PDB file of all heavy atoms in Angstrom:
ATOM      1  N   GLY B 717     -22.470  72.389   4.383  1.00  0.00           N
ATOM      2  CA  GLY B 717     -22.493  71.199   3.555  1.00  0.00           C
ATOM      3  C   GLY B 717     -21.068  70.684   3.467  1.00  0.00           C
ATOM      4  O   GLY B 717     -20.121  71.474   3.435  1.00  0.00           O
ATOM      5  N   TYR B 718     -20.919  69.356   3.447  1.00  0.00           N
ATOM      6  CA  TYR B 718     -19.583  68.779   3.458  1.00  0.00           C
ATOM      7  C   TYR B 718     -19.393  67.957   2.201  1.00  0.00           C
ATOM      8  O   TYR B 718     -20.230  67.131   1.862  1.00  0.00           O
ATOM      9  CB  TYR B 718     -19.434  67.885   4.697  1.00  0.00           C
ATOM     10  CG  TYR B 718     -18.018  67.606   5.129  1.00  0.00           C
ATOM     11  CD1 TYR B 718     -17.469  68.227   6.249  1.00  0.00           C
ATOM     12  CD2 TYR B 718     -17.218  66.713   4.423  1.00  0.00           C
ATOM     13  CE1 TYR B 718     -16.175  67.974   6.661  1.00  0.00           C
ATOM     14  CE2 TYR B 718     -15.909  66.456   4.827  1.00  0.00           C
ATOM     15  CZ  TYR B 718     -15.393  67.084   5.943  1.00  0.00           C
ATOM     16  OH  TYR B 718     -14.101  66.834   6.342  1.00  0.00           O
ATOM     17  N   VAL B 719     -18.295  68.187   1.500  1.00  0.00           N
ATOM     18  CA  VAL B 719     -17.999  67.396   0.309  1.00  0.00           C
ATOM     19  C   VAL B 719     -16.752  66.571   0.578  1.00  0.00           C
ATOM     20  O   VAL B 719     -15.697  67.115   0.896  1.00  0.00           O
ATOM     21  CB  VAL B 719     -17.773  68.298  -0.926  1.00  0.00           C
ATOM     22  CG1 VAL B 719     -17.453  67.461  -2.150  1.00  0.00           C
ATOM     23  CG2 VAL B 719     -18.996  69.165  -1.170  1.00  0.00           C
ATOM     24  N   PHE B 720     -16.900  65.252   0.495  1.00  0.00           N
ATOM     25  CA  PHE B 720     -15.770  64.367   0.783  1.00  0.00           C
ATOM     26  C   PHE B 720     -14.924  64.150  -0.470  1.00  0.00           C
ATOM     27  O   PHE B 720     -15.325  64.517  -1.573  1.00  0.00           O
ATOM     28  CB  PHE B 720     -16.283  63.028   1.303  1.00  0.00           C
ATOM     29  CG  PHE B 720     -16.950  63.124   2.638  1.00  0.00           C
ATOM     30  CD1 PHE B 720     -18.292  63.473   2.736  1.00  0.00           C
ATOM     31  CD2 PHE B 720     -16.251  62.888   3.804  1.00  0.00           C
ATOM     32  CE1 PHE B 720     -18.918  63.573   3.967  1.00  0.00           C
ATOM     33  CE2 PHE B 720     -16.860  62.981   5.040  1.00  0.00           C
ATOM     34  CZ  PHE B 720     -18.196  63.332   5.118  1.00  0.00           C
ATOM     35  N   GLN B 721     -13.775  63.532  -0.263  1.00  0.00           N
ATOM     36  CA  GLN B 721     -12.868  63.309  -1.394  1.00  0.00           C
ATOM     37  C   GLN B 721     -13.521  62.431  -2.458  1.00  0.00           C
ATOM     38  O   GLN B 721     -13.391  62.677  -3.638  1.00  0.00           O
ATOM     39  CB  GLN B 721     -11.573  62.662  -0.894  1.00  0.00           C
ATOM     40  CG  GLN B 721     -10.626  62.321  -2.023  1.00  0.00           C
ATOM     41  CD  GLN B 721      -9.194  62.145  -1.551  1.00  0.00           C
ATOM     42  OE1 GLN B 721      -8.912  62.129  -0.364  1.00  0.00           O
ATOM     43  NE2 GLN B 721      -8.292  62.025  -2.489  1.00  0.00           N
ATOM     44  N   ALA B 722     -14.229  61.384  -2.011  1.00  0.00           N
ATOM     45  CA  ALA B 722     -14.972  60.557  -2.960  1.00  0.00           C
ATOM     46  C   ALA B 722     -16.403  61.072  -3.014  1.00  0.00           C
ATOM     47  O   ALA B 722     -16.932  61.568  -2.024  1.00  0.00           O
ATOM     48  CB  ALA B 722     -14.954  59.097  -2.512  1.00  0.00           C
ATOM     49  N   ALA B 723     -17.018  60.967  -4.202  1.00  0.00           N
ATOM     50  CA  ALA B 723     -18.366  61.503  -4.355  1.00  0.00           C
ATOM     51  C   ALA B 723     -19.331  60.805  -3.398  1.00  0.00           C
ATOM     52  O   ALA B 723     -20.206  61.437  -2.829  1.00  0.00           O
ATOM     53  CB  ALA B 723     -18.837  61.350  -5.796  1.00  0.00           C
ATOM     54  N   GLY B 724     -19.146  59.485  -3.217  1.00  0.00           N
ATOM     55  CA  GLY B 724     -19.971  58.749  -2.265  1.00  0.00           C
ATOM     56  C   GLY B 724     -21.456  58.836  -2.556  1.00  0.00           C
ATOM     57  O   GLY B 724     -22.260  58.936  -1.634  1.00  0.00           O
ATOM     58  N   LEU B 725     -21.828  58.796  -3.837  1.00  0.00           N
ATOM     59  CA  LEU B 725     -23.255  58.794  -4.168  1.00  0.00           C
ATOM     60  C   LEU B 725     -23.814  57.406  -3.886  1.00  0.00           C
ATOM     61  O   LEU B 725     -23.104  56.414  -3.992  1.00  0.00           O
ATOM     62  CB  LEU B 725     -23.445  59.148  -5.649  1.00  0.00           C
ATOM     63  CG  LEU B 725     -22.868  60.495  -6.079  1.00  0.00           C
ATOM     64  CD1 LEU B 725     -22.969  60.658  -7.589  1.00  0.00           C
ATOM     65  CD2 LEU B 725     -23.597  61.640  -5.382  1.00  0.00           C
ATOM     66  N   TYR B 726     -25.086  57.350  -3.502  1.00  0.00           N
ATOM     67  CA  TYR B 726     -25.706  56.049  -3.269  1.00  0.00           C
ATOM     68  C   TYR B 726     -26.022  55.404  -4.619  1.00  0.00           C
ATOM     69  O   TYR B 726     -26.744  55.987  -5.425  1.00  0.00           O
ATOM     70  CB  TYR B 726     -27.006  56.202  -2.477  1.00  0.00           C
ATOM     71  CG  TYR B 726     -26.827  56.628  -1.043  1.00  0.00           C
ATOM     72  CD1 TYR B 726     -27.921  56.857  -0.231  1.00  0.00           C
ATOM     73  CD2 TYR B 726     -25.563  56.785  -0.498  1.00  0.00           C
ATOM     74  CE1 TYR B 726     -27.770  57.240   1.087  1.00  0.00           C
ATOM     75  CE2 TYR B 726     -25.401  57.167   0.813  1.00  0.00           C
ATOM     76  CZ  TYR B 726     -26.505  57.397   1.599  1.00  0.00           C
ATOM     77  OH  TYR B 726     -26.353  57.778   2.909  1.00  0.00           O
ATOM     78  N   PRO B 727     -25.487  54.198  -4.844  1.00  0.00           N
ATOM     79  CA  PRO B 727     -25.702  53.570  -6.152  1.00  0.00           C
ATOM     80  C   PRO B 727     -27.172  53.258  -6.424  1.00  0.00           C
ATOM     81  O   PRO B 727     -27.562  53.114  -7.572  1.00  0.00           O
ATOM     82  CB  PRO B 727     -24.870  52.287  -6.076  1.00  0.00           C
ATOM     83  CG  PRO B 727     -24.575  52.069  -4.640  1.00  0.00           C
ATOM     84  CD  PRO B 727     -24.615  53.411  -3.974  1.00  0.00           C
ATOM     85  N   TRP B 728     -27.986  53.140  -5.361  1.00  0.00           N
ATOM     86  CA  TRP B 728     -29.390  52.778  -5.568  1.00  0.00           C
ATOM     87  C   TRP B 728     -30.288  53.990  -5.754  1.00  0.00           C
ATOM     88  O   TRP B 728     -31.487  53.867  -5.875  1.00  0.00           O
ATOM     89  CB  TRP B 728     -29.898  51.931  -4.400  1.00  0.00           C
ATOM     90  CG  TRP B 728     -29.756  52.594  -3.081  1.00  0.00           C
ATOM     91  CD1 TRP B 728     -30.635  53.451  -2.501  1.00  0.00           C
ATOM     92  CD2 TRP B 728     -28.665  52.460  -2.161  1.00  0.00           C
ATOM     93  NE1 TRP B 728     -30.156  53.871  -1.291  1.00  0.00           N
ATOM     94  CE2 TRP B 728     -28.956  53.274  -1.047  1.00  0.00           C
ATOM     95  CE3 TRP B 728     -27.475  51.730  -2.180  1.00  0.00           C
ATOM     96  CZ2 TRP B 728     -28.087  53.380   0.037  1.00  0.00           C
ATOM     97  CZ3 TRP B 728     -26.638  51.832  -1.096  1.00  0.00           C
ATOM     98  CH2 TRP B 728     -26.943  52.651  -0.005  1.00  0.00           C
ATOM     99  N   ARG B 729     -29.679  55.189  -5.765  1.00  0.00           N
ATOM    100  CA  ARG B 729     -30.471  56.381  -6.012  1.00  0.00           C
ATOM    101  C   ARG B 729     -30.016  57.035  -7.306  1.00  0.00           C
ATOM    102  O   ARG B 729     -28.831  57.008  -7.616  1.00  0.00           O
ATOM    103  CB  ARG B 729     -30.298  57.392  -4.871  1.00  0.00           C
ATOM    104  CG  ARG B 729     -31.099  57.065  -3.624  1.00  0.00           C
ATOM    105  CD  ARG B 729     -30.723  58.013  -2.506  1.00  0.00           C
ATOM    106  NE  ARG B 729     -31.529  57.772  -1.321  1.00  0.00           N
ATOM    107  CZ  ARG B 729     -32.488  58.594  -0.913  1.00  0.00           C
ATOM    108  NH1 ARG B 729     -32.734  59.714  -1.541  1.00  0.00           N
ATOM    109  NH2 ARG B 729     -33.195  58.300   0.164  1.00  0.00           N
ATOM    110  N   THR B 730     -30.957  57.650  -8.003  1.00  0.00           N
ATOM    111  CA  THR B 730     -30.579  58.415  -9.183  1.00  0.00           C
ATOM    112  C   THR B 730     -29.810  59.652  -8.723  1.00  0.00           C
ATOM    113  O   THR B 730     -29.720  59.926  -7.525  1.00  0.00           O
ATOM    114  CB  THR B 730     -31.827  58.881  -9.952  1.00  0.00           C
ATOM    115  OG1 THR B 730     -32.604  59.687  -9.059  1.00  0.00           O
ATOM    116  CG2 THR B 730     -32.650  57.691 -10.428  1.00  0.00           C
ATOM    117  N   ILE B 731     -29.282  60.405  -9.691  1.00  0.00           N
ATOM    118  CA  ILE B 731     -28.572  61.632  -9.328  1.00  0.00           C
ATOM    119  C   ILE B 731     -29.510  62.568  -8.566  1.00  0.00           C
ATOM    120  O   ILE B 731     -29.166  63.094  -7.495  1.00  0.00           O
ATOM    121  CB  ILE B 731     -28.028  62.317 -10.604  1.00  0.00           C
ATOM    122  CG1 ILE B 731     -26.993  61.415 -11.285  1.00  0.00           C
ATOM    123  CG2 ILE B 731     -27.426  63.661 -10.276  1.00  0.00           C
ATOM    124  CD1 ILE B 731     -25.830  61.023 -10.411  1.00  0.00           C
ATOM    125  N   ALA B 732     -30.729  62.738  -9.094  1.00  0.00           N
ATOM    126  CA  ALA B 732     -31.688  63.598  -8.395  1.00  0.00           C
ATOM    127  C   ALA B 732     -31.985  63.043  -6.997  1.00  0.00           C
ATOM    128  O   ALA B 732     -32.055  63.786  -6.022  1.00  0.00           O
ATOM    129  CB  ALA B 732     -32.977  63.719  -9.206  1.00  0.00           C
ATOM    130  N   GLY B 733     -32.133  61.724  -6.917  1.00  0.00           N
ATOM    131  CA  GLY B 733     -32.408  61.084  -5.626  1.00  0.00           C
ATOM    132  C   GLY B 733     -31.280  61.322  -4.642  1.00  0.00           C
ATOM    133  O   GLY B 733     -31.509  61.555  -3.452  1.00  0.00           O
ATOM    134  N   ASN B 734     -30.049  61.280  -5.135  1.00  0.00           N
ATOM    135  CA  ASN B 734     -28.903  61.540  -4.269  1.00  0.00           C
ATOM    136  C   ASN B 734     -28.891  62.982  -3.784  1.00  0.00           C
ATOM    137  O   ASN B 734     -28.621  63.244  -2.614  1.00  0.00           O
ATOM    138  CB  ASN B 734     -27.600  61.246  -5.017  1.00  0.00           C
ATOM    139  CG  ASN B 734     -27.154  59.811  -4.835  1.00  0.00           C
ATOM    140  OD1 ASN B 734     -26.658  59.443  -3.785  1.00  0.00           O
ATOM    141  ND2 ASN B 734     -27.373  58.996  -5.852  1.00  0.00           N
ATOM    142  N   VAL B 735     -29.182  63.897  -4.710  1.00  0.00           N
ATOM    143  CA  VAL B 735     -29.118  65.310  -4.341  1.00  0.00           C
ATOM    144  C   VAL B 735     -30.206  65.650  -3.320  1.00  0.00           C
ATOM    145  O   VAL B 735     -30.012  66.481  -2.436  1.00  0.00           O
ATOM    146  CB  VAL B 735     -29.230  66.194  -5.602  1.00  0.00           C
ATOM    147  CG1 VAL B 735     -29.370  67.655  -5.224  1.00  0.00           C
ATOM    148  CG2 VAL B 735     -28.004  65.999  -6.487  1.00  0.00           C
ATOM    149  N   GLN B 736     -31.341  64.938  -3.417  1.00  0.00           N
ATOM    150  CA  GLN B 736     -32.404  65.278  -2.466  1.00  0.00           C
ATOM    151  C   GLN B 736     -32.299  64.513  -1.148  1.00  0.00           C
ATOM    152  O   GLN B 736     -33.118  64.715  -0.258  1.00  0.00           O
ATOM    153  CB  GLN B 736     -33.766  65.108  -3.098  1.00  0.00           C
ATOM    154  CG  GLN B 736     -34.167  63.676  -3.342  1.00  0.00           C
ATOM    155  CD  GLN B 736     -35.651  63.591  -3.648  1.00  0.00           C
ATOM    156  OE1 GLN B 736     -36.391  64.533  -3.400  1.00  0.00           O
ATOM    157  NE2 GLN B 736     -36.079  62.480  -4.206  1.00  0.00           N
ATOM    158  N   LEU B 737     -31.268  63.677  -1.029  1.00  0.00           N
ATOM    159  CA  LEU B 737     -31.102  62.926   0.228  1.00  0.00           C
ATOM    160  C   LEU B 737     -31.112  63.823   1.473  1.00  0.00           C
ATOM    161  O   LEU B 737     -31.898  63.600   2.396  1.00  0.00           O
ATOM    162  CB  LEU B 737     -29.822  62.092   0.158  1.00  0.00           C
ATOM    163  CG  LEU B 737     -29.405  61.392   1.447  1.00  0.00           C
ATOM    164  CD1 LEU B 737     -30.358  60.249   1.757  1.00  0.00           C
ATOM    165  CD2 LEU B 737     -27.982  60.854   1.344  1.00  0.00           C
ATOM    166  N   PRO B 738     -30.269  64.875   1.499  1.00  0.00           N
ATOM    167  CA  PRO B 738     -30.310  65.724   2.699  1.00  0.00           C
ATOM    168  C   PRO B 738     -31.668  66.397   2.872  1.00  0.00           C
ATOM    169  O   PRO B 738     -32.107  66.609   4.001  1.00  0.00           O
ATOM    170  CB  PRO B 738     -29.205  66.756   2.445  1.00  0.00           C
ATOM    171  CG  PRO B 738     -28.905  66.686   0.994  1.00  0.00           C
ATOM    172  CD  PRO B 738     -29.220  65.296   0.558  1.00  0.00           C
ATOM    173  N   LEU B 739     -32.323  66.704   1.759  1.00  0.00           N
ATOM    174  CA  LEU B 739     -33.619  67.384   1.857  1.00  0.00           C
ATOM    175  C   LEU B 739     -34.666  66.468   2.487  1.00  0.00           C
ATOM    176  O   LEU B 739     -35.494  66.904   3.288  1.00  0.00           O
ATOM    177  CB  LEU B 739     -34.086  67.835   0.462  1.00  0.00           C
ATOM    178  CG  LEU B 739     -33.094  68.734  -0.283  1.00  0.00           C
ATOM    179  CD1 LEU B 739     -33.605  69.061  -1.671  1.00  0.00           C
ATOM    180  CD2 LEU B 739     -32.848  70.015   0.511  1.00  0.00           C
ATOM    181  N   GLU B 740     -34.607  65.170   2.122  1.00  0.00           N
ATOM    182  CA  GLU B 740     -35.528  64.205   2.730  1.00  0.00           C
ATOM    183  C   GLU B 740     -35.296  64.133   4.235  1.00  0.00           C
ATOM    184  O   GLU B 740     -36.234  64.168   5.027  1.00  0.00           O
ATOM    185  CB  GLU B 740     -35.306  62.807   2.142  1.00  0.00           C
ATOM    186  CG  GLU B 740     -35.860  62.614   0.759  1.00  0.00           C
ATOM    187  CD  GLU B 740     -35.463  61.263   0.184  1.00  0.00           C
ATOM    188  OE1 GLU B 740     -35.134  60.356   0.966  1.00  0.00           O
ATOM    189  OE2 GLU B 740     -35.471  61.139  -1.048  1.00  0.00           O
ATOM    190  N   ILE B 741     -34.011  64.041   4.591  1.00  0.00           N
ATOM    191  CA  ILE B 741     -33.692  63.892   6.009  1.00  0.00           C
ATOM    192  C   ILE B 741     -34.113  65.133   6.792  1.00  0.00           C
ATOM    193  O   ILE B 741     -34.560  65.050   7.922  1.00  0.00           O
ATOM    194  CB  ILE B 741     -32.189  63.598   6.178  1.00  0.00           C
ATOM    195  CG1 ILE B 741     -31.904  62.195   5.653  1.00  0.00           C
ATOM    196  CG2 ILE B 741     -31.752  63.730   7.632  1.00  0.00           C
ATOM    197  CD1 ILE B 741     -30.453  61.858   5.562  1.00  0.00           C
ATOM    198  N   MET B 742     -33.987  66.292   6.148  1.00  0.00           N
ATOM    199  CA  MET B 742     -34.324  67.525   6.848  1.00  0.00           C
ATOM    200  C   MET B 742     -35.802  67.865   6.738  1.00  0.00           C
ATOM    201  O   MET B 742     -36.242  68.898   7.246  1.00  0.00           O
ATOM    202  CB  MET B 742     -33.470  68.667   6.303  1.00  0.00           C
ATOM    203  CG  MET B 742     -31.996  68.450   6.602  1.00  0.00           C
ATOM    204  SD  MET B 742     -30.976  69.636   5.739  1.00  0.00           S
ATOM    205  CE  MET B 742     -29.345  69.031   6.186  1.00  0.00           C
ATOM    206  N   GLY B 743     -36.546  67.013   6.040  1.00  0.00           N
ATOM    207  CA  GLY B 743     -37.994  67.170   6.043  1.00  0.00           C
ATOM    208  C   GLY B 743     -38.561  68.240   5.131  1.00  0.00           C
ATOM    209  O   GLY B 743     -39.604  68.819   5.434  1.00  0.00           O
TER     210      GLY B 743
END
Side-chain angles (χ1 to χ4, degrees):
Chain B
Y718 201 105
V719 179
F720 293 85
Q721 176 160 8
L725 302 173
Y726 291 177
W728 57 86
R729 282 173 177 252
T730 59
I731 296 303
N734 270 285
V735 172
Q736 71 166 345
L737 172 71
L739 304 177
E740 284 173 22
I741 290 171
M742 295 171 184

